[in-house]
Amino acid sequence: EWADGGTNFVTAIDKAIEVIRTSVEAGTTSMCQKAIMFLTDGSADFGPDDYTRVREATQAYDIVLFTYALGSGANTDIPKRLACENNGIFYQVGDGADLSTIMSGYYDYFVQGQEICTPGFTRYTATQGHQLYGACLPMYDRSGQNPSLLGVSCLDVNLI
C-alpha cells in the first residue's frame, strides 16, 4: 500500500505499540516515559475498534501519543482524536513549517508535567565488552516561572 502512496495508520501504530510491549515484557526499557510520535501527511481508515485497541494499549503500557498532521492535505480528525484520547498532544504542521522545532516541543510535555529526582539506570555493553551501568538524571532551568529542560547528565557506574 505504501509503494502506491497510500497511508495505513493501523499498521504503523500497531507496530509502534508492539515494539513498546516487547521491550516492556523483555525488561529492556527504563520503564520511565514511553511515547509514540505519529506523523502523517495523508488520511486512512481508522475505526472505532482501532481507537479502542490503541487506548487500551496506551493505558496498559503508560504510553503518550503525540500526533502530527503534516501539510494542508493531511487528515486532522484522526490524529487529533488519537492524541486527545491517549494523553498526548496534536500538532497541525503547516506547509513549509519548521517540523524539527515543532517536534522537539514534545520534551516540554515531560518537563512541565514532572520533575524526576531519582536516577534512571540503564545497562549497556562497553566497546571492550564489559557490562556497565549508567545513572542518568535530567537537569532543569528553574530561573523562570516554568522549569525547562536543559539536558540530561549521566554517570557510568562500574559494578564489579
Side-chain angles (χ1 to χ4, degrees):
E1 180 175 4
W2 290 308
D4 297 327
T7 303
N8 187 331
F9 292 178
V10 174
T11 300
I13 292 173
D14 284 352
K15 181 62 176 179
I17 291 169
E18 177 189 334
V19 168
I20 291 172
R21 178 186 52 76
T22 301
S23 67
V24 167
E25 290 173 357
T28 56
T29 176
S30 66
M31 299 301 290
C32 292
Q33 287 77 34
K34 293 170 285 301
I36 294 172
M37 300 174 80
F38 176 73
L39 291 77
T40 182
D41 63 355
S43 63
D45 293 330
F46 207 84
D49 291 342
D50 299 317
Y51 286 108
T52 300
R53 188 178 61 261
V54 171
R55 191 172 44 256
E56 288 171 354
T58 59
Q59 289 171 355
Y61 296 105
D62 195 24
I63 301 168
V64 177
L65 187 56
F66 298 97
T67 61
Y68 303 83
L70 308 177
S72 57
N75 173 294
T76 58
D77 296 333
I78 295 169
K80 185 173 185 176
R81 181 173 169 186
L82 282 167
C84 291
E85 289 184 1
N86 297 285
N87 299 317
I89 299 175
F90 166 72
Y91 298 88
Q92 186 167 1
V93 182
D95 295 320
D98 183 3
L99 182 60
S100 62
T101 299
I102 293 168
M103 288 188 71
S104 66
Y106 85 93
Y107 287 110
D108 291 334
Y109 177 92
F110 293 113
V111 170
Q112 299 303 325
Q114 62 195 349
E115 289 192 34
I116 301 170
C117 299
T118 304
F121 293 90
T122 185
R123 184 178 70 184
Y124 65 97
T125 303
T127 56
Q128 301 86 1
H130 302 292
Q131 291 293 308
L132 297 176
Y133 290 84
C136 302
L137 275 171
M139 297 179 298
Y140 300 96
D141 177 0
R142 294 183 176 88
S143 62
Q145 182 177 6
N146 294 318
S148 62
L149 180 67
L150 291 172
V152 176
S153 177
C154 296
L155 175 67
D156 289 337
V157 182
N158 190 359
L159 302 175
I160 300 176

